[in-house]
Amino acid sequence: MKKFLLFLLLALMFSLQFWGCQTYSRTETDIYTISELDTTTSYIDKNAPGNRDNGIIFSSSRTVQSERTMVQRDSVVNREYPAFIRLGLFESVGLIGSGSDYAAGMGLFGVFPDFDNMRTTYRGGTGKVFSGGLYRFGVAEWRLRWFRDNPNWTYGFTGLEIIMPDSRIEYALASFAPFYLRKRFYLREEIPYIAITGAFGISPLPIPSQYVNISASIDVGSIGGLNVRAYLGLAGGINSSGSYQVRISPAFGPTNPPKSVTSVFPYFGIGVSVLDFLNRVPELYTEWKDHEHSSWDIGLTQLILLNSGASSIYKSDTTSSMLTGLILRLATASVALPLLDWKVYAGTSLINFVVLGENEWGMGILPLRLGLWQTVIMDEMSVEPFIEYNYYPSEIVHIGGRLNLRVTEGINMGIAAGYASGSTVGRFGTDMMRQLGKQMSFSRPYIGLSISFFDRIFFPEHLRYFKNK
Amino acid sequence: MKRKLFLVLPIVFIFFVLACKYSNIDLNTGKFQGKIDGYNLSGYGTIDEINDNSVLIKEDGFYALKKTGVTELVTDLTVNLKEGEGVWLAYRCASNNYNNHPAILLNYSTKGLTIEEKGKNIINLDKYKARINEPVRIVFLNDCKRYDVLLDCDTVYTGYTDIPNTEYLLVKTLPKSKVLLTGISLDEREEEEENK
C-alpha cells in the first residue's frame, strides 16, 4: 500500500513537471503611452487708466504668452486568453470487438454497465456488444508548433487513463499521466466542430502499465462541454507481475503465481465526454470575454437539499426532519436550442441522483432533460422549469423548476420545487442494493434549496446567438 | 523482448518531452539594463537564438521584442539579410492582434525602404536597399509624437504620429528570407542618451 501511495505521489509530481510549463490561461499585459501636447496662449492687455496716445512711437501694451506643455499617460491593458486546446474532465468510450469471449458489457459510451457484474472476479461472457471500455479522467492538450507550424498538432496528458479490452482485469491497461500526441483535421470549423483526429499515446512507466495506444477518431463537439466520438484503435502493452491489475486478478493465485501479462488488442468504440472543452487555434488568440458560448448552464456539481415528506436519509429515528433527501447532478450541461428565441434547452448530466427520502431514490446516467431558460434579472437571476427522464439504471420521470441566483461566476444558490415519479429498478445488483437501500417505487413532490459549485450560468449577452442582436 | 520494450518506451517519451520548448527567449543586452523578452509568434524552428544576444529569423518567422514597462523606446538593431528579400519591422504596436493593429511599419527589402503608418504608405526610400550579408544598423527613435528612423548613421525620415507608444518591436521576415538580428538594444530614451 505504501509503495502504491509513493507511486501515486511520484506520478503526480512527474505529471506536474509538464503541467507546470503550461497553464489554463494566458495573460498579456501591454502598456500604451499616450502623449498629449497642449499649447496655451495668453493675450494680456495691461491698460493704464486714462487716455493714452497709441501710435507710431508708443507700442501696444498687449503681451502674448505662449506656454507649451506635454502630458504623457500610460494605458495598461490586461488580456486573458485560453492557453489550452483541450481541457476535459471525463471521457468514456464503450469498446466493441476488443474481447468477445470475456465481454464485460459496459454499454453504449461505456457508461451503462451492468452494475451487478461490477466486481474484479467477474470474467464476462459472450453476446454483449460493448466488451470493454476506455476511460480518461482529466484530459489536457496544448498546441504543438512543429513541422513549420503545421496546424492542429497538440500534445498533452491524461490524469488517469484506463483501457480495458474485456472483463479480465489483468489485461486492462492503466496509466497516470500518459503522454498523447494528436493531429486534428477539421471537417467543420464552426461550433460544434467535427474533426478527424489521429492520436499516438504512450505510457512510459512500467507501473501500472507500460503501453502505446494508436487511434483515429471522428469527433463531434464540443458544445456545452459535451463531445461524441467514434474510435478505431490499437492498444498494446505490458502489465508487470507487480502491477495492481495482475495482483488483484482472479486468474492468479497460490497455485498460479502472478506473472507479467502482455495485452494487445484492436478496438472500435463509441464514446462521450463531459466538461470537455475544445479550442481551435484562432480561439487561443480570442480573449476569454469574447469567447462564444452555446449553453445556458455548465457545471460540475448541482445540489438540491429537499423535503419531500418521506422518511429522512439524514436521521435514523422516526422524528420528523426538515430535510429528507437530495438531488445531486454531476457534470451538467444545458445546451440552448433554436426554439422560442433559444430559451428552450436540452440538457444532461453524467450522473444524476434523485433521493427523495430513505428507500425512495434512484440514479440516472446521462438523463435527458428538456427545459425553458428564462433570465429574470440580467447577470443575476434566472428560472428554469424542466422535465427530465432518467432511463438507466433507474427509471424516473422528474418535473421541476429552479430559481437560480448567481452568487459568483462559479457558485449559484436558489430554490427548487418539483415532482418525481419512478422506481429504483433492480439493475444495481444485490450487493449494491444492500448498501444503498431497498428497491422501491415512489411518487412525491418536493421543495428544496439548491446550491451549485463550479457551475456557470450564462446570460443572453454571453451566448453566441445573441451577439449581434 | 519485453525488457527491450521497457527501455524503448521511456526513450521515446523523453524525445517528445524535449519538444516541449518555451516560446519566449530572453536576450542578454550586456549593459546591466535587464533582459529583453523575445516572443516567438511563429512555429518552432523558425527562430534561433544565437549566443544569448542575437536572433536568426528564418522563413515565416515572426518575432516580438519587448522590454517590460518601457514605452519611450529607442530600438537599435543590426539587420543582416542572409537570404531572400528582406524584413518587416513594426513599431508602436502590440503582439495582440498584430496583423490588424495600427502601427508604423518599415519594409526593408532589396527594393528599398518603405515606411507605412496605419496601413498608408508614407514614403518610399529606394536609395536604401537591403543587400545580402551587408549588415545595416536600424534605429527607431520614439520621442512622444515624433519618431526618427536612422539607417546606419543617416536620419532617413522624421515623422509625427498619434499612435501611442508601446513596448513592442515586431520583426517578420519577408517571403523566403532569412535575417540575422544582432546588437539588439531596446532602451528608454533617457537611457539611450546616457549610454552614448
Side-chain angles (χ1 to χ4, degrees), chain A residues 29-30 33 70 81 145 210, chain B residues 6 41 44 71 96 144 165:
Chain A
T29 303
D30 294 329
T33 300
M70 185 188 70
Y81 303 87
R145 305 181 71 172
Q210 194 176 41
Chain B
F6 270 105
L41 303 178
Y44 288 139
T71 53
N96 167 64
C144 302
N165 289 329

Side-chain angles (χ1 to χ4, degrees), chain A residues 289-308:
Chain A
K289 64 181 177 61
D290 298 325
H291 265 244
E292 295 186 327
H293 302 285
S294 311
S295 304
W296 288 109
D297 182 29
I298 298 173
L300 179 65
T301 311
Q302 292 180 357
L303 178 68
I304 300 172
L305 299 169
L306 58 87
N307 187 330
S308 67

Side-chain angles (χ1 to χ4, degrees), chain A residues 32-168:
Chain A
Y32 296 84
T33 300
I34 298 159
S35 304
E36 286 171 358
L37 297 173
D38 192 16
T39 305
T40 309
T41 307
S42 307
Y43 300 93
I44 303 166
D45 283 315
K46 292 178 183 172
N47 291 326
N51 293 330
R52 193 176 59 171
D53 291 331
N54 289 332
I56 298 168
I57 299 170
F58 299 102
S59 60
S60 169
S61 63
R62 189 181 201 194
T63 57
V64 179
Q65 288 180 353
S66 185
E67 193 178 336
R68 199 170 181 219
T69 55
M70 185 188 70
V71 179
Q72 281 193 308
R73 55 193 164 84
D74 283 351
S75 169
V76 181
V77 182
N78 284 312
R79 301 188 186 90
E80 300 278 347
Y81 303 87
F84 61 89
I85 291 286
R86 182 184 170 197
L87 202 62
L89 180 75
F90 177 69
E91 181 182 1
S92 172
V93 184
L95 301 185
I96 302 169
S98 50
S100 56
D101 292 338
Y102 301 93
M106 300 309 289
L108 183 67
F109 306 133
V111 287
F112 299 107
D114 188 347
F115 286 95
D116 201 16
N117 297 328
M118 287 196 72
R119 55 186 191 275
T120 55
T121 54
Y122 180 62
R123 303 300 282 174
T126 54
K128 293 169 181 173
V129 178
F130 293 93
S131 54
L134 186 157
Y135 302 96
R136 293 189 175 116
F137 300 87
V139 185
E141 287 180 45
W142 297 278
R143 186 182 180 192
L144 178 59
R145 305 181 71 172
W146 65 357
F147 301 136
R148 303 194 78 78
D149 236 2
N150 195 293
N152 302 319
W153 280 94
T154 67
Y155 71 96
F157 298 89
T158 303
L160 171 64
E161 181 177 78
I162 300 166
I163 313 172
M164 42 178 288
D166 52 38
S167 62
R168 294 171 298 171

Side-chain angles (χ1 to χ4, degrees), chain A residues 224-247:
Chain A
L226 298 170
N227 298 264
V228 179
R229 296 185 177 90
Y231 279 92
L232 187 66
L234 175 70
I238 299 164
N239 287 327
S240 68
S241 57
S243 71
Y244 182 71
Q245 302 93 300
V246 169
R247 280 192 284 122

Side-chain angles (χ1 to χ4, degrees), chain A residues 14 18 21 28-33 35 70 72 79 81 145 148-149 179 181 202 206 210 212 260 262, chain B residues 2 6 9 13 16-17 20 41-44 59 66 71-72 94 96 101 144-145 164-168:
Chain A
F14 186 69
F18 302 109
C21 74
E28 276 186 7
T29 303
D30 294 329
I31 303 172
Y32 296 84
T33 300
S35 304
M70 185 188 70
Q72 281 193 308
R79 301 188 186 90
Y81 303 87
R145 305 181 71 172
R148 303 194 78 78
D149 236 2
F179 176 80
L181 201 59
I202 179 170
Q210 194 176 41
V212 291
S260 65
T262 303
Chain B
K2 280 180 187 173
F6 270 105
L9 290 184
F13 181 68
F16 284 117
V17 168
C20 174
L41 303 178
S42 48
Y44 288 139
E59 190 184 351
K66 172 186 178 181
T71 53
E72 283 284 279
N96 167 64
H101 197 280
C144 302
K145 294 183 180 235
N165 289 329
T166 64
E167 304 160 289
Y168 283 93

